[in-house]
Amino acid sequence: MASTMMNVTTVSSTFLSSAKSVAADPSAPNAKNNLATAARGVTESINNLINVYTSAAPGQKECDSAIRAIQSAKHMLENPTEPVSDASYYECLDNVMEKSKALGDGMTGIANHARSQNMRTLEWLSRKLQVQL
């Protein structure tokens, strides 16, 4: 628990340093990318902290974590300002197709195991899907 709180502190400090760099020189190369990366780090660190302190029904933690991950990516997808990779259009398209297939397969498995109330497999599939995406 203490290490998770220390991680939030460290990542937040990195975020503030990145924000200071962007404020000092907004046109610096990769400054905005570094700030966005640091912001994602803070989000992930806070999500980890929430996970540590969350105790709920089986599978609840994985579902909440997946929802927070989707919500944190929403802003980046709605307001793209800079490329997030050096991949070409077709490489990105292939990556999206692969991840879409994995998402579809995972959601089918999750639905089937939720109907059969197989909580252990449901939890395992949720974790696997989160890692894949």
Side-chain angles (χ1 to χ4, degrees), residues 5-121:
M5 286 189 278
M6 287 297 295
N7 187 36
V8 171
T9 303
T10 304
V11 173
S12 297
S13 177
T14 303
F15 173 70
L16 291 173
S17 295
S18 295
K20 182 179 175 183
S21 297
V22 170
D25 186 9
S27 63
N30 291 328
K32 290 181 182 177
N33 281 339
N34 291 340
L35 182 62
T37 301
R40 279 191 300 273
V42 169
T43 301
E44 290 172 9
S45 183
I46 291 172
N47 285 340
N48 288 337
L49 180 66
I50 291 169
N51 287 339
V52 167
Y53 288 99
T54 301
S55 60
Q60 182 67 41
K61 183 169 75 170
E62 288 78 14
C63 291
D64 289 344
S65 180
I67 289 169
R68 285 192 305 271
I70 291 168
Q71 288 172 339
S72 68
K74 181 182 174 187
H75 175 73
M76 210 171 56
L77 294 171
E78 289 178 341
N79 302 308
T81 55
E82 295 184 22
V84 293
S85 76
D86 293 329
S88 71
Y89 171 79
Y90 293 105
E91 291 169 335
C92 289
L93 185 60
D94 288 342
N95 189 18
V96 166
M97 295 301 290
E98 289 172 18
K99 300 235 184 232
S100 295
K101 184 178 181 325
L103 178 62
D105 294 345
M107 294 304 294
T108 300
I110 287 173
N112 290 337
H113 291 292
R115 270 189 231 109
S116 67
Q117 296 183 354
N118 186 345
M119 293 303 159
R120 287 191 180 269
T121 308

